[in-house]
């Protein structure tokens, strides 16, 4: 496995493989790997000749009061884990390599970025879209892998690729969970012992919503109330949003039909956790 920090070398390396007729799979990450990241690497390994993983904690997607400085990092461990998954290249640039100053360009996807996390993290998806657009140029892979856990991010990337004609197939892979249902996230390290025990309620609330919806409940307000009830079982869970959303537009629903996303964001102390369950509901 080779570690590359320079964008020209990275791009030329990928282009060489493509000229030789190889398929390249790309997994963009901010590092501090967990099983969710590793599952993306495995999918990329299965489906491509060459696998590239980027590790870059992107300052542009953090708000001024967010956790950029504290974001967990462990490059050595990440490299060991990636190598064990058969990753061929790690792209690990410094901030100036990605954002030479002054850096004035931005990629903005409208509409689907306004609700859910977008309402609580202004500028976040602009930061994500901008860095992913740059990474797609630096690593011109045929396939790129994202996790369903960041459902809104995945929608934003899919729309950016569609609207701006990026020549890459975006694969969205299932959320990987701890045995008690908590979605894996690098930010789970922020949870203390008590918060960690309560954190699985997010998934339990979504599961309650799923069971009701799959059992025939079509009233979004009834499903949402049932999900809130689960989160009220324990103190210290500060809900940002919890509800049923249209799976494509991400707008809140009144009636559950077709592609539905049950989604939640909540703070437990310092940790801000998100989770979701996508559903396909027949009439
Ligand atoms: O999901 C992440 O880790 C990040 O948002 C991404 C896609 C690597 C962009 O910085």
């Amino acid at each position: 496995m080779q570690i590359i920090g320079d964008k020209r070398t990275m791009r030329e390396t990928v282009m060489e493989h493509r000229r030789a007729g190889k398929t390249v799979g790309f997994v963009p990450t901010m590092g501090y790997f967990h099983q969710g990241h590793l599952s993306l690497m495995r999918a990329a390994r299965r489906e491509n000749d060459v696998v590239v993983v980027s590790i870059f904690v992107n300052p542009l997607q953090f708000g001024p009061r967010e956790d950029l400085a504290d974001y967990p990092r462990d490059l050595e461990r990440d490299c060991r884990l990636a190598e064990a998954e058969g990753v061929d290249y790690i792209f690990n640039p410094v901030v100036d390599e990605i954002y030479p100053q002054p850096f004035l360009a931005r990629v903005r996807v409208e509409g689907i970025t306004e609700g859910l996390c977008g309402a609580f993290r202004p500028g976040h998806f602009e930061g994500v879209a901008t860095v992913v657009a740059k990474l797609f140029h630096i690593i011109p892979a045929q396939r790129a892998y994202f996790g369903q856990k960041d459902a809104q991010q995945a929608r934003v990337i899919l729309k950016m690729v569609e609207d701006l004609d990026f020549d890459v197939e975006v694969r969205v892979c299932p959320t990987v969970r701890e045995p008690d249902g908590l979605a894996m996230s690098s930010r789970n390290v922020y949870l203390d012992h008590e918060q960690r025990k309560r954190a699985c309620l997010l998934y339990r609330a979504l599961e309650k919503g799923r069971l009701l919806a799959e059992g025939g409940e079509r009233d979004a307000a009834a499903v949402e109330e049932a999900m809130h009830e689960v989160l009220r079982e324990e103190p210290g869970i500060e809900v940002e949003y919890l509800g049923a959303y249209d799976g494509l537009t991400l707008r809140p629903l009144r009636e559950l039909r077709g592609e539905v996303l049950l989604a939640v964001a909540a703070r437990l102390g310092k940790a801000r956790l998100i989770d979701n369950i996508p559903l396909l509901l027949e009439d």
Side-chain angles (χ1 to χ4, degrees):
M1 190 180 74
Q2 200 181 329
I3 302 173
I4 297 176
D6 161 61
K7 56 189 176 188
R8 284 180 208 292
T9 309
M10 186 70 255
R11 189 179 152 80
E12 194 39 44
T13 304
V14 172
M15 289 309 294
E16 253 173 51
H17 284 294
R18 291 202 53 168
R19 283 193 290 267
K22 307 282 187 206
T23 57
V24 180
F26 170 42
V27 183
T29 82
M30 299 206 299
Y32 209 69
F33 295 155
H34 50 68
Q35 287 297 324
H37 294 114
L38 302 186
S39 76
L40 301 181
M41 294 177 210
R42 272 170 220 150
R45 183 67 287 164
R46 271 196 310 276
E47 297 173 2
N48 302 278
D49 300 314
V50 177
V51 176
V52 183
V53 172
S54 65
I55 299 178
F56 179 66
V57 181
N58 172 34
L60 216 58
Q61 69 188 74
F62 288 79
R65 279 179 295 281
E66 294 187 352
D67 57 341
L68 174 61
D70 299 340
Y71 197 83
R73 298 162 210 241
D74 191 341
L75 185 62
E76 247 179 63
R77 176 176 168 274
D78 284 351
C79 288
R80 273 201 310 277
L81 291 171
E83 187 150 38
E85 295 301 336
V87 168
D88 299 293
Y89 300 97
I90 296 274
F91 179 53
N92 179 228
V94 295
V95 172
D96 283 351
E97 181 71 5
I98 298 296
Y99 300 121
Q101 292 305 314
F103 184 83
L104 304 176
R106 294 291 183 275
V107 177
R108 182 153 53 93
V109 177
E110 299 182 331
I112 55 173
T113 53
E114 278 152 27
L116 299 165
C117 290
F120 293 87
R121 304 186 69 189
H124 170 68
F125 289 112
E126 197 171 289
V128 170
T130 302
V131 81
V132 173
K134 284 183 65 87
L135 289 168
F136 282 172
H137 289 309
I138 297 166
I139 300 161
Q142 287 99 325
R143 300 189 186 92
Y145 297 80
F146 294 84
Q148 170 65 29
K149 203 213 76 178
D150 296 302
Q152 191 173 15
Q153 168 172 284
R155 287 289 314 136
V156 169
I157 301 302
L158 281 160
K159 198 70 188 107
M160 177 187 83
V161 163
E162 183 185 340
D163 287 1
L164 298 182
D165 300 307
F166 279 88
D167 191 14
V168 59
E169 182 189 341
V170 173
R171 300 274 228 219
V172 183
C173 301
T175 302
V176 179
R177 299 181 179 283
E178 301 283 357
D180 68 353
L182 175 65
M184 296 215 181
S185 163
S186 305
R187 290 188 165 100
N188 290 350
V189 292
Y190 297 150
L191 298 166
D192 68 23
H193 183 66
E194 283 307 306
Q195 291 160 348
R196 172 63 192 85
K197 281 202 290 192
R198 288 177 197 145
C200 66
L201 284 183
L202 268 61
Y203 178 63
R204 287 205 358 230
L206 294 171
E207 270 292 290
K208 176 91 177 259
R210 179 181 71 78
L211 286 173
L212 280 174
E214 289 183 347
E217 180 61 76
R218 289 291 171 266
D219 178 20
V223 170
E224 287 171 10
E225 177 47 29
M227 295 195 293
H228 274 289
E229 210 172 274
V230 175
L231 293 188
R232 284 195 293 263
E233 281 173 26
E234 292 280 352
I237 302 178
E238 206 184 303
V239 176
E240 282 189 353
Y241 61 80
L242 171 63
Y245 303 87
D246 182 287
L248 293 177
T249 65
L250 302 183
R251 292 212 188 94
L253 291 173
R254 296 166 79 122
E255 200 191 359
L256 308 189
R257 294 238 176 280
E259 281 188 49
V260 172
L261 187 73
L262 301 178
V264 60
R267 289 183 181 277
L268 283 86
K270 183 175 177 284
R272 179 181 185 277
L273 305 181
I274 59 172
D275 199 357
N276 68 86
I277 297 183
L279 300 174
L280 185 58
L281 298 174
E282 309 300 341
D283 283 339

